[in-house]
Amino acid sequence: MAASPSTARAINDRLALRLLQQEGPLTAGQLKTLTGLSRPTVADLVERLQDAGLVRVVGETGDRRRGPNARLYGIVADLAHLAALDVRTHSVSVVVADLLGRTLAEADLPIGSDTATEAAVERAAALLERTAAEAGAVRLHSVGIGAPGLVAPGTGELRDTTGLPAWHRRLVAALHERLSATVLVENETNLAALAEQRLGAARGQDTFVLLWLGHGVGAAVVLDGKLRRGASGGAGEIGFLPVPGTSRLPSALGCEGGFHGLVGSAGIAELAEEYGISAVAAAQEPPAAALVRAAVEAAGTAKGAVEEKGAATPRDKAADAFLGVLADRLAIGAAAVSAVLDPGRIVLAGEVGHAGGPALAARVETRLAAMSPLHTEVRAGTLGGTAVLRGALLTARDAAQDDLFAPEPN
């Protein structure tokens, strides 16, 4: 059945807006080429989008001649302001951006474990308000929040989770109360997967698994282009996976005896101590990230010495051995993921995955190939600890654009 004229207009308008979002400012002629629409149709849609306040002339091409084809049209970026929050156990990070996702202001705030719930909520909410004011955002349209723990699939609410601060859940409720904006909450690892899929190591992948390696460990599962959350929102809680190499089994109240015990930041730090690896972590950085980064650098030095027929130092050899054991540990979890989901690609993300880089990813891929008959690429995440915040911002931007770019009802 052919689309009605109004439906066809709506489809064409959204197509043009998406192209302007992805490609930046375009001329009417470029829109005609990219959409395949006729010149009169493009002229009509440009006029409609300008009248709706969604598009404006932002400049001209280098052509000397004047006319519609020489004008550059761009999305009105300040039509809506967005915010994203990365809520960690002991800190919160905020970024405020325009409709195109361009950062206007950002801030970070540590929140100590001894801070009372209401005080922590007030400090985090006030940080968002100050950052929005600094960005010149009178009103926020959409706010994306990434937080550890389970998000109920039916309601989108952050659930009470043992071991996580109570202020996390209260902050989400407070922002709903204080803001007129759309507030969207998602598990931090799922947001990291969205960011790596759009901008990083999983770009173009419809099926993959992201392993988040930071202070803790988690996973995000993307199958056939869809994020899979599970019946209760707990898909990817890989820290609870029972694995060999730990002194006990995990329990419903804690994952210390599971995969988390092997590759969480504390477990990696203990392993590094055994091999004499030391490093100073940056502020808010998991100690394991600095240790893995130092080991990769030292192991690279050892490899270079061997290639040049020199002598690697004992420290460099220890770093190489440490990375080998860490890769063995990571391969255990990766093998379980591969056997159940056959994702084709596993991304080692988070601060630790980013610190290990291609060198650690290659080691894990080699060990995984020896354990599983299913071919699985292992890649290092490229966004590091910023992935959660960038994923939250993408979520807020998508929500705002879906609302603002929607066709007017007949």
Side-chain angles (χ1 to χ4, degrees), residues 143-347:
V143 178
I145 303 174
L150 303 181
V151 177
T155 64
E157 294 180 347
L158 187 65
R159 294 170 51 185
D160 283 323
T161 305
T162 302
L164 293 177
W167 66 267
H168 285 190
R169 192 165 191 266
R170 179 70 191 104
L171 173 62
V172 174
L175 293 181
H176 276 292
E177 295 166 2
R178 294 169 70 148
L179 301 176
S180 60
T182 298
V183 178
L184 305 162
V185 186
E186 182 58 271
N187 173 267
E188 58 180 357
T189 307
N190 290 341
L191 290 178
L194 171 63
E196 290 286 358
Q197 185 182 36
R198 296 267 196 97
L199 308 170
R203 187 176 297 183
Q205 297 293 124
D206 287 334
T207 296
F208 70 98
V209 168
L210 178 138
L211 290 184
W212 178 265
L213 305 171
H215 288 287
V217 57
V221 179
V222 178
L223 301 177
D224 300 323
K226 294 184 179 180
L227 180 68
R228 307 295 180 173
R229 296 178 175 83
S232 63
E237 288 294 324
I238 198 171
F240 287 87
L241 181 72
V243 292
T246 58
S247 60
R248 55 195 171 95
L249 291 173
S251 73
L253 300 178
C255 57
E256 289 76 11
F259 188 50
H260 170 90
L262 291 183
V263 297
S265 186
I268 294 176
E270 291 176 3
L271 180 66
E273 186 176 4
E274 293 178 21
Y275 285 88
I277 309 298
S278 61
V280 178
Q284 304 301 325
E285 180 184 48
L291 294 167
V292 170
R293 188 182 305 112
V296 168
E297 293 174 356
T301 300
K303 181 179 179 182
V306 171
E307 290 175 348
E308 295 178 9
K309 298 184 179 180
T313 67
R315 179 179 179 278
D316 296 340
K317 291 180 180 178
D320 184 73
F322 159 75
L323 290 174
V325 175
L326 177 57
D328 288 337
R329 292 183 173 188
L330 288 167
I332 292 173
V337 167
S338 179
V340 175
L341 298 174
D342 186 19
R345 178 174 295 186
I346 292 176
V347 176

